[in-house]
PDB file of all heavy atoms in Angstrom:
ATOM      1  N   PHE H 280      -5.334   9.303   4.516  1.00 83.00           N
ATOM      2  CA  PHE H 280      -4.901  10.639   4.121  1.00 83.00           C
ATOM      3  C   PHE H 280      -4.496  11.428   5.371  1.00 83.00           C
ATOM      4  O   PHE H 280      -5.064  12.462   5.674  1.00 83.00           O
ATOM      5  CB  PHE H 280      -6.011  11.377   3.362  1.00 83.00           C
ATOM      6  CG  PHE H 280      -6.233  10.877   1.972  1.00 83.00           C
ATOM      7  CD1 PHE H 280      -7.252   9.983   1.703  1.00 83.00           C
ATOM      8  CD2 PHE H 280      -5.409  11.287   0.928  1.00 83.00           C
ATOM      9  CE1 PHE H 280      -7.462   9.503   0.417  1.00 83.00           C
ATOM     10  CE2 PHE H 280      -5.607  10.821  -0.358  1.00 83.00           C
ATOM     11  CZ  PHE H 280      -6.633   9.928  -0.612  1.00 83.00           C
ATOM     12  N   CYS H 281      -3.510  10.930   6.100  1.00 80.00           N
ATOM     13  CA  CYS H 281      -3.047  11.612   7.305  1.00 80.00           C
ATOM     14  C   CYS H 281      -2.287  12.883   6.921  1.00 80.00           C
ATOM     15  O   CYS H 281      -1.491  12.875   5.985  1.00 80.00           O
ATOM     16  CB  CYS H 281      -2.143  10.697   8.121  1.00 80.00           C
ATOM     17  SG  CYS H 281      -2.936   9.157   8.640  1.00 80.00           S
ATOM     18  N   SER H 282      -2.522  13.955   7.645  1.00 78.00           N
ATOM     19  CA  SER H 282      -1.900  15.234   7.303  1.00 78.00           C
ATOM     20  C   SER H 282      -0.412  15.264   7.609  1.00 78.00           C
ATOM     21  O   SER H 282       0.319  16.103   7.080  1.00 78.00           O
ATOM     22  CB  SER H 282      -2.595  16.364   8.066  1.00 78.00           C
ATOM     23  OG  SER H 282      -2.483  16.149   9.461  1.00 78.00           O
ATOM     24  N   PHE H 283       0.079  14.340   8.467  1.00 75.00           N
ATOM     25  CA  PHE H 283       1.483  14.372   8.868  1.00 75.00           C
ATOM     26  C   PHE H 283       2.369  13.472   8.012  1.00 75.00           C
ATOM     27  O   PHE H 283       3.566  13.375   8.244  1.00 75.00           O
ATOM     28  CB  PHE H 283       1.627  13.947  10.337  1.00 75.00           C
ATOM     29  CG  PHE H 283       1.068  12.583  10.643  1.00 75.00           C
ATOM     30  CD1 PHE H 283       1.791  11.442  10.394  1.00 75.00           C
ATOM     31  CD2 PHE H 283      -0.219  12.448  11.152  1.00 75.00           C
ATOM     32  CE1 PHE H 283       1.269  10.187  10.658  1.00 75.00           C
ATOM     33  CE2 PHE H 283      -0.748  11.193  11.420  1.00 75.00           C
ATOM     34  CZ  PHE H 283      -0.008  10.070  11.176  1.00 75.00           C
ATOM     35  N   CYS H 284       1.811  12.802   7.009  1.00 74.00           N
ATOM     36  CA  CYS H 284       2.568  11.792   6.268  1.00 74.00           C
ATOM     37  C   CYS H 284       2.298  11.928   4.775  1.00 74.00           C
ATOM     38  O   CYS H 284       1.150  11.970   4.347  1.00 74.00           O
ATOM     39  CB  CYS H 284       2.184  10.397   6.760  1.00 74.00           C
ATOM     40  SG  CYS H 284       2.970   9.069   5.840  1.00 74.00           S
ATOM     41  N   LYS H 285       3.353  11.967   3.972  1.00 70.00           N
ATOM     42  CA  LYS H 285       3.162  12.106   2.532  1.00 70.00           C
ATOM     43  C   LYS H 285       2.913  10.771   1.851  1.00 70.00           C
ATOM     44  O   LYS H 285       2.439  10.723   0.721  1.00 70.00           O
ATOM     45  CB  LYS H 285       4.366  12.795   1.901  1.00 70.00           C
ATOM     46  CG  LYS H 285       5.561  11.913   1.633  1.00 70.00           C
ATOM     47  CD  LYS H 285       6.660  12.710   0.982  1.00 70.00           C
ATOM     48  CE  LYS H 285       7.796  11.832   0.517  1.00 70.00           C
ATOM     49  NZ  LYS H 285       7.447  10.928  -0.587  1.00 70.00           N
ATOM     50  N   GLU H 286       3.267   9.661   2.509  1.00 72.00           N
ATOM     51  CA  GLU H 286       3.100   8.345   1.898  1.00 72.00           C
ATOM     52  C   GLU H 286       1.663   8.111   1.463  1.00 72.00           C
ATOM     53  O   GLU H 286       1.398   7.628   0.364  1.00 72.00           O
ATOM     54  CB  GLU H 286       3.519   7.254   2.898  1.00 72.00           C
ATOM     55  CG  GLU H 286       3.420   5.836   2.363  1.00 72.00           C
ATOM     56  CD  GLU H 286       4.684   5.383   1.661  1.00 72.00           C
ATOM     57  OE1 GLU H 286       5.711   6.054   1.785  1.00 72.00           O
ATOM     58  OE2 GLU H 286       4.618   4.345   0.979  1.00 72.00           O
ATOM     59  N   SER H 287       0.727   8.464   2.343  1.00 71.00           N
ATOM     60  CA  SER H 287      -0.678   8.173   2.044  1.00 71.00           C
ATOM     61  C   SER H 287      -1.202   9.016   0.889  1.00 71.00           C
ATOM     62  O   SER H 287      -2.144   8.622   0.201  1.00 71.00           O
ATOM     63  CB  SER H 287      -1.527   8.428   3.296  1.00 71.00           C
ATOM     64  OG  SER H 287      -1.389   9.761   3.738  1.00 71.00           O
ATOM     65  N   TRP H 288      -0.598  10.171   0.636  1.00 73.00           N
ATOM     66  CA  TRP H 288      -1.062  11.047  -0.436  1.00 73.00           C
ATOM     67  C   TRP H 288      -0.451  10.659  -1.781  1.00 73.00           C
ATOM     68  O   TRP H 288      -1.095  10.792  -2.823  1.00 73.00           O
ATOM     69  CB  TRP H 288      -0.713  12.502  -0.113  1.00 73.00           C
ATOM     70  CG  TRP H 288      -1.413  12.988   1.104  1.00 73.00           C
ATOM     71  CD1 TRP H 288      -1.006  12.832   2.407  1.00 73.00           C
ATOM     72  CD2 TRP H 288      -2.666  13.683   1.165  1.00 73.00           C
ATOM     73  NE1 TRP H 288      -1.915  13.392   3.261  1.00 73.00           N
ATOM     74  CE2 TRP H 288      -2.947  13.921   2.527  1.00 73.00           C
ATOM     75  CE3 TRP H 288      -3.557  14.128   0.196  1.00 73.00           C
ATOM     76  CZ2 TRP H 288      -4.088  14.591   2.947  1.00 73.00           C
ATOM     77  CZ3 TRP H 288      -4.694  14.806   0.617  1.00 73.00           C
ATOM     78  CH2 TRP H 288      -4.947  15.029   1.976  1.00 73.00           C
ATOM     79  N   GLU H 289       0.781  10.196  -1.756  1.00 71.00           N
ATOM     80  CA  GLU H 289       1.486   9.949  -3.009  1.00 71.00           C
ATOM     81  C   GLU H 289       1.522   8.484  -3.415  1.00 71.00           C
ATOM     82  O   GLU H 289       1.680   8.173  -4.595  1.00 71.00           O
ATOM     83  CB  GLU H 289       2.924  10.488  -2.902  1.00 71.00           C
ATOM     84  CG  GLU H 289       2.950  12.009  -2.750  1.00 71.00           C
ATOM     85  CD  GLU H 289       4.352  12.544  -2.593  1.00 71.00           C
ATOM     86  OE1 GLU H 289       5.266  11.749  -2.322  1.00 71.00           O
ATOM     87  OE2 GLU H 289       4.547  13.759  -2.753  1.00 71.00           O
ATOM     88  N   GLN H 290       1.406   7.577  -2.461  1.00 72.00           N
ATOM     89  CA  GLN H 290       1.474   6.153  -2.789  1.00 72.00           C
ATOM     90  C   GLN H 290       0.068   5.578  -2.936  1.00 72.00           C
ATOM     91  O   GLN H 290      -0.409   4.819  -2.112  1.00 72.00           O
ATOM     92  CB  GLN H 290       2.258   5.407  -1.704  1.00 72.00           C
ATOM     93  CG  GLN H 290       3.682   5.880  -1.532  1.00 72.00           C
ATOM     94  CD  GLN H 290       4.541   5.634  -2.754  1.00 72.00           C
ATOM     95  OE1 GLN H 290       4.300   4.713  -3.523  1.00 72.00           O
ATOM     96  NE2 GLN H 290       5.541   6.455  -2.953  1.00 72.00           N
ATOM     97  N   LYS H 291      -0.591   5.966  -3.982  1.00 74.00           N
ATOM     98  CA  LYS H 291      -1.928   5.474  -4.296  1.00 74.00           C
ATOM     99  C   LYS H 291      -1.884   4.764  -5.647  1.00 74.00           C
ATOM    100  O   LYS H 291      -1.078   5.142  -6.506  1.00 74.00           O
ATOM    101  CB  LYS H 291      -2.930   6.638  -4.350  1.00 74.00           C
ATOM    102  CG  LYS H 291      -3.266   7.255  -2.989  1.00 74.00           C
ATOM    103  CD  LYS H 291      -4.199   6.359  -2.202  1.00 74.00           C
ATOM    104  CE  LYS H 291      -4.767   7.060  -0.985  1.00 74.00           C
ATOM    105  NZ  LYS H 291      -3.800   7.391   0.062  1.00 74.00           N
ATOM    106  N   PRO H 292      -2.697   3.749  -5.881  1.00 79.00           N
ATOM    107  CA  PRO H 292      -3.683   3.201  -4.963  1.00 79.00           C
ATOM    108  C   PRO H 292      -3.053   2.236  -3.948  1.00 79.00           C
ATOM    109  O   PRO H 292      -1.945   1.759  -4.158  1.00 79.00           O
ATOM    110  CB  PRO H 292      -4.617   2.435  -5.912  1.00 79.00           C
ATOM    111  CG  PRO H 292      -3.711   1.965  -7.002  1.00 79.00           C
ATOM    112  CD  PRO H 292      -2.721   3.079  -7.190  1.00 79.00           C
ATOM    113  N   TYR H 293      -3.772   1.974  -2.879  1.00 84.00           N
ATOM    114  CA  TYR H 293      -3.332   0.990  -1.910  1.00 84.00           C
ATOM    115  C   TYR H 293      -3.507  -0.400  -2.508  1.00 84.00           C
ATOM    116  O   TYR H 293      -4.545  -0.710  -3.093  1.00 84.00           O
ATOM    117  CB  TYR H 293      -4.147   1.121  -0.616  1.00 84.00           C
ATOM    118  CG  TYR H 293      -3.864   0.026   0.387  1.00 84.00           C
ATOM    119  CD1 TYR H 293      -2.609  -0.080   0.985  1.00 84.00           C
ATOM    120  CD2 TYR H 293      -4.840  -0.904   0.736  1.00 84.00           C
ATOM    121  CE1 TYR H 293      -2.337  -1.077   1.895  1.00 84.00           C
ATOM    122  CE2 TYR H 293      -4.583  -1.901   1.651  1.00 84.00           C
ATOM    123  CZ  TYR H 293      -3.323  -1.994   2.233  1.00 84.00           C
ATOM    124  OH  TYR H 293      -3.055  -2.983   3.128  1.00 84.00           O
ATOM    125  N   ARG H 294      -2.476  -1.243  -2.371  1.00 84.00           N
ATOM    126  CA  ARG H 294      -2.518  -2.573  -2.979  1.00 84.00           C
ATOM    127  C   ARG H 294      -2.071  -3.636  -1.989  1.00 84.00           C
ATOM    128  O   ARG H 294      -1.057  -3.463  -1.307  1.00 84.00           O
ATOM    129  CB  ARG H 294      -1.599  -2.610  -4.211  1.00 84.00           C
ATOM    130  CG  ARG H 294      -2.081  -1.760  -5.376  1.00 84.00           C
ATOM    131  CD  ARG H 294      -0.921  -1.202  -6.179  1.00 84.00           C
ATOM    132  NE  ARG H 294      -0.288  -0.091  -5.490  1.00 84.00           N
ATOM    133  CZ  ARG H 294       0.862   0.467  -5.872  1.00 84.00           C
ATOM    134  NH1 ARG H 294       1.496   0.010  -6.909  1.00 84.00           N
ATOM    135  NH2 ARG H 294       1.358   1.478  -5.196  1.00 84.00           N
ATOM    136  N   GLU H 295      -2.811  -4.730  -1.922  1.00 88.00           N
ATOM    137  CA  GLU H 295      -2.455  -5.866  -1.072  1.00 88.00           C
ATOM    138  C   GLU H 295      -2.145  -7.081  -1.937  1.00 88.00           C
ATOM    139  O   GLU H 295      -2.807  -7.315  -2.949  1.00 88.00           O
ATOM    140  CB  GLU H 295      -3.598  -6.214  -0.112  1.00 88.00           C
ATOM    141  CG  GLU H 295      -3.819  -5.196   0.982  1.00 88.00           C
ATOM    142  CD  GLU H 295      -4.795  -5.701   2.044  1.00 88.00           C
ATOM    143  OE1 GLU H 295      -5.350  -6.808   1.858  1.00 88.00           O
ATOM    144  OE2 GLU H 295      -4.990  -4.985   3.047  1.00 88.00           O
ATOM    145  N   GLY H 296      -1.140  -7.847  -1.514  1.00 87.00           N
ATOM    146  CA  GLY H 296      -0.789  -9.058  -2.230  1.00 87.00           C
ATOM    147  C   GLY H 296      -1.800 -10.159  -1.990  1.00 87.00           C
ATOM    148  O   GLY H 296      -2.375 -10.275  -0.909  1.00 87.00           O
ATOM    149  N   ASN H 297      -2.026 -10.983  -3.012  1.00 88.00           N
ATOM    150  CA  ASN H 297      -2.890 -12.145  -2.889  1.00 88.00           C
ATOM    151  C   ASN H 297      -2.187 -13.208  -2.048  1.00 88.00           C
ATOM    152  O   ASN H 297      -0.990 -13.488  -2.247  1.00 88.00           O
ATOM    153  CB  ASN H 297      -3.213 -12.678  -4.288  1.00 88.00           C
ATOM    154  CG  ASN H 297      -4.040 -13.939  -4.250  1.00 88.00           C
ATOM    155  OD1 ASN H 297      -3.507 -15.033  -4.154  1.00 88.00           O
ATOM    156  ND2 ASN H 297      -5.344 -13.770  -4.335  1.00 88.00           N
ATOM    157  N   VAL H 298      -2.909 -13.834  -1.106  1.00 91.00           N
ATOM    158  CA  VAL H 298      -2.288 -14.777  -0.167  1.00 91.00           C
ATOM    159  C   VAL H 298      -1.626 -15.933  -0.902  1.00 91.00           C
ATOM    160  O   VAL H 298      -0.474 -16.296  -0.630  1.00 91.00           O
ATOM    161  CB  VAL H 298      -3.327 -15.301   0.845  1.00 91.00           C
ATOM    162  CG1 VAL H 298      -2.704 -16.387   1.722  1.00 91.00           C
ATOM    163  CG2 VAL H 298      -3.840 -14.159   1.716  1.00 91.00           C
ATOM    164  N   SER H 299      -2.316 -16.545  -1.845  1.00 91.00           N
ATOM    165  CA  SER H 299      -1.745 -17.686  -2.566  1.00 91.00           C
ATOM    166  C   SER H 299      -0.516 -17.272  -3.363  1.00 91.00           C
ATOM    167  O   SER H 299       0.472 -18.023  -3.448  1.00 91.00           O
ATOM    168  CB  SER H 299      -2.792 -18.309  -3.484  1.00 91.00           C
ATOM    169  OG  SER H 299      -3.255 -17.376  -4.438  1.00 91.00           O
ATOM    170  N   ALA H 300      -0.543 -16.062  -3.941  1.00 89.00           N
ATOM    171  CA  ALA H 300       0.612 -15.577  -4.693  1.00 89.00           C
ATOM    172  C   ALA H 300       1.797 -15.306  -3.768  1.00 89.00           C
ATOM    173  O   ALA H 300       2.956 -15.586  -4.111  1.00 89.00           O
ATOM    174  CB  ALA H 300       0.245 -14.317  -5.466  1.00 89.00           C
ATOM    175  N   LEU H 301       1.511 -14.759  -2.570  1.00 91.00           N
ATOM    176  CA  LEU H 301       2.582 -14.496  -1.611  1.00 91.00           C
ATOM    177  C   LEU H 301       3.234 -15.801  -1.151  1.00 91.00           C
ATOM    178  O   LEU H 301       4.461 -15.867  -1.004  1.00 91.00           O
ATOM    179  CB  LEU H 301       2.033 -13.733  -0.406  1.00 91.00           C
ATOM    180  CG  LEU H 301       1.568 -12.294  -0.671  1.00 91.00           C
ATOM    181  CD1 LEU H 301       0.917 -11.709   0.577  1.00 91.00           C
ATOM    182  CD2 LEU H 301       2.731 -11.423  -1.117  1.00 91.00           C
ATOM    183  N   ILE H 302       2.434 -16.821  -0.936  1.00 93.00           N
ATOM    184  CA  ILE H 302       2.986 -18.119  -0.534  1.00 93.00           C
ATOM    185  C   ILE H 302       3.845 -18.697  -1.652  1.00 93.00           C
ATOM    186  O   ILE H 302       4.943 -19.216  -1.425  1.00 93.00           O
ATOM    187  CB  ILE H 302       1.841 -19.092  -0.161  1.00 93.00           C
ATOM    188  CG1 ILE H 302       1.099 -18.574   1.078  1.00 93.00           C
ATOM    189  CG2 ILE H 302       2.396 -20.491   0.104  1.00 93.00           C
ATOM    190  CD1 ILE H 302      -0.186 -19.313   1.373  1.00 93.00           C
ATOM    191  N   SER H 303       3.345 -18.598  -2.887  1.00 91.00           N
ATOM    192  CA  SER H 303       4.102 -19.090  -4.039  1.00 91.00           C
ATOM    193  C   SER H 303       5.430 -18.354  -4.174  1.00 91.00           C
ATOM    194  O   SER H 303       6.478 -18.966  -4.418  1.00 91.00           O
ATOM    195  CB  SER H 303       3.260 -18.924  -5.310  1.00 91.00           C
ATOM    196  OG  SER H 303       3.986 -19.304  -6.452  1.00 91.00           O
ATOM    197  N   ASP H 304       5.410 -17.022  -3.999  1.00 90.00           N
ATOM    198  CA  ASP H 304       6.636 -16.235  -4.089  1.00 90.00           C
ATOM    199  C   ASP H 304       7.614 -16.604  -2.981  1.00 90.00           C
ATOM    200  O   ASP H 304       8.831 -16.672  -3.203  1.00 90.00           O
ATOM    201  CB  ASP H 304       6.312 -14.744  -4.004  1.00 90.00           C
ATOM    202  CG  ASP H 304       5.714 -14.208  -5.292  1.00 90.00           C
ATOM    203  OD1 ASP H 304       5.809 -14.904  -6.317  1.00 90.00           O
ATOM    204  OD2 ASP H 304       5.146 -13.104  -5.261  1.00 90.00           O
ATOM    205  N   SER H 305       7.097 -16.838  -1.784  1.00 93.00           N
ATOM    206  CA  SER H 305       7.978 -17.178  -0.666  1.00 93.00           C
ATOM    207  C   SER H 305       8.653 -18.530  -0.890  1.00 93.00           C
ATOM    208  O   SER H 305       9.822 -18.717  -0.552  1.00 93.00           O
ATOM    209  CB  SER H 305       7.188 -17.182   0.649  1.00 93.00           C
ATOM    210  OG  SER H 305       6.271 -18.258   0.687  1.00 93.00           O
TER     211      SER H 305
END
């Protein structure tokens, strides 16, 4: 929640890709 950046306030929730799924997609 940095005060200088709107990304952290509006782009919630934070999401990470699953490693096996990322490899499959690649």
Side-chain angles (χ1 to χ4, degrees):
F280 287 98
C281 301
S282 60
F283 57 82
C284 176
K285 81 179 188 67
E286 181 88 13
S287 58
W288 296 85
E289 295 178 345
Q290 300 296 332
K291 289 285 191 293
Y293 173 66
R294 292 148 284 170
E295 290 190 355
N297 176 274
V298 174
S299 60
L301 292 174
I302 295 169
S303 176
D304 285 345
S305 69

